[in-house]
Amino acid sequence: MAAIYSLYIINKSGGLIFYKDYGSAGRMDTNDSLRLASLWHSMHAISQQLSPVPNCAGIELLQADTFDLHCFQSLTGTKFFVVCEPGTQHMEGLLKHIYELYTDYVLKNPFYEMEMPIRCELFDINLAQAVQKDRVALLAR
């Protein structure tokens, strides 16, 4: 069973710019993934405003019975989140690594237009390697 169910990247406006399913039992269609990304963006923004803690960054971890949702927000407002098995550790490091891949292979791509869906083969290849490496590391623990 895969530790990571799916990965989402949301632009600062709340639009889904990347989605990858890693074999979760309940696959979602495109409309469901768009709705989930939009809902997460809204919940994240509301949590920042409602937090009693000053300068709150929003929800970073949502734990449920059947999954955990880990989120990393970059300084530009782009959100990266993974849905994974409950109790999966070290997702923050993986999300930061995915952000590095995003900056290296997507933002530096001269053909990529900001805020648009990500279509970059080098990003896909390196992302697959990072997720596979993370799965191997989880199995070794």
Side-chain angles (χ1 to χ4, degrees):
M1 184 177 217
I4 298 171
Y5 297 145
S6 53
L7 166 70
Y8 298 79
I9 302 176
I10 306 171
N11 64 23
K12 62 184 174 189
S13 305
L16 181 66
I17 58 174
F18 185 83
Y19 166 70
K20 182 71 176 171
D21 188 7
Y22 291 100
S24 59
R27 291 187 178 224
M28 293 192 299
D29 64 11
T30 305
N31 288 332
D32 289 339
S33 60
L34 288 169
R35 276 192 289 273
L36 178 62
S38 177
L39 178 65
W40 180 254
H41 175 75
S42 301
M43 286 176 43
H44 197 270
I46 291 169
S47 70
Q48 288 175 318
Q49 295 174 358
L50 293 179
S51 174
V53 178
N55 300 324
C56 176
I59 302 171
E60 295 178 356
L61 172 62
L62 176 70
Q63 294 178 313
D65 293 339
T66 57
F67 69 91
D68 286 353
L69 190 152
H70 295 261
C71 182
F72 169 74
Q73 180 174 339
S74 71
L75 293 175
T76 61
T78 303
K79 293 175 197 65
F80 298 78
F81 71 92
V82 292
V83 178
C84 58
E85 289 180 354
T88 304
Q89 300 295 316
H90 310 291
M91 284 292 112
E92 297 80 19
L94 177 64
L95 286 170
K96 288 180 182 178
H97 182 65
I98 292 170
Y99 173 65
E100 291 172 7
L101 295 175
Y102 171 76
T103 58
D104 287 343
Y105 297 106
V106 177
L107 295 182
K108 293 177 183 176
N109 182 343
F111 301 108
Y112 177 69
E113 293 183 39
M114 292 297 293
E115 308 295 318
M116 297 304 290
I118 298 170
R119 307 263 187 266
C120 180
E121 186 177 349
L122 283 175
F123 176 71
D124 292 339
I125 292 168
N126 285 281
L127 177 63
Q129 289 174 351
V131 170
Q132 184 62 30
K133 183 178 174 184
D134 186 69
R135 285 182 178 167
V136 170
L138 283 172
L139 291 174
R141 291 182 193 141

